[in-house]
């Protein structure tokens, strides 16, 4: 990959799992967290060092209620955020 990116979640809306692809041009520490609409962290999907390349991330949201959530990925100064909708 040429730049840091988090693909759009697929499927979206989803029930109860959705998949994302993380693209990393260099090795580094990555944090991917899921927030509810009031800004509380409901799940930490990744919080460690990863190697450069493509990484598949799956969120199983069977333990949270239906609603809109925000997936936020951070690597250094790069931040990507997207909305996902869980429909049960």
């Amino acid at each position: 990959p040429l730049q840091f990116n988090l693909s759009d979640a697929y499927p979206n809306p989803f029930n109860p799992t959705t998949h994302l692809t993380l693209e990393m041009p260099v090795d580094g520490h990555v944090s991917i967290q899921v927030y509810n609409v009031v800004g509380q962290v409901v799940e930490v999907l990744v919080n460690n060092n990863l190697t450069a390349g493509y990484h598949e991330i799956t969120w199983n949201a069977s333990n949270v209620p239906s609603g809109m959530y925000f997936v936020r990925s951070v690597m250094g100064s790069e931040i990507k955020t997207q909305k996902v909708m869980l429909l049960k």
Side-chain angles (χ1 to χ4, degrees):
L2 299 175
Q3 64 183 12
F4 176 72
N5 190 43
L6 186 66
S7 71
D8 291 339
Y10 181 80
N12 187 20
F14 68 100
N15 178 26
T17 61
T18 190
H19 307 278
L20 308 108
T21 301
L22 178 66
E23 301 174 16
M24 295 183 53
V26 296
D27 296 355
H29 184 269
V30 176
S31 172
I32 302 176
Q33 298 180 328
V34 180
Y35 294 84
N36 62 18
V37 292
V38 294
Q40 299 168 315
V41 175
V42 295
E43 186 96 30
V44 176
L45 302 178
V46 176
N47 189 24
N48 55 27
N49 292 314
L50 296 177
T51 58
Y54 297 90
H55 301 275
E56 296 296 321
I57 311 294
T58 299
W59 180 32
N60 182 340
S62 59
N63 60 336
V64 294
S66 294
M68 184 174 16
Y69 294 89
F70 298 92
V71 179
R72 182 175 187 255
S73 59
V74 179
M75 179 182 169
S77 62
E78 297 276 344
I79 300 172
K80 306 287 184 189
T81 304
Q82 66 175 282
K83 290 190 300 189
V84 293
M85 182 66 77
L86 172 61
L87 299 175
K88 290 187 177 181

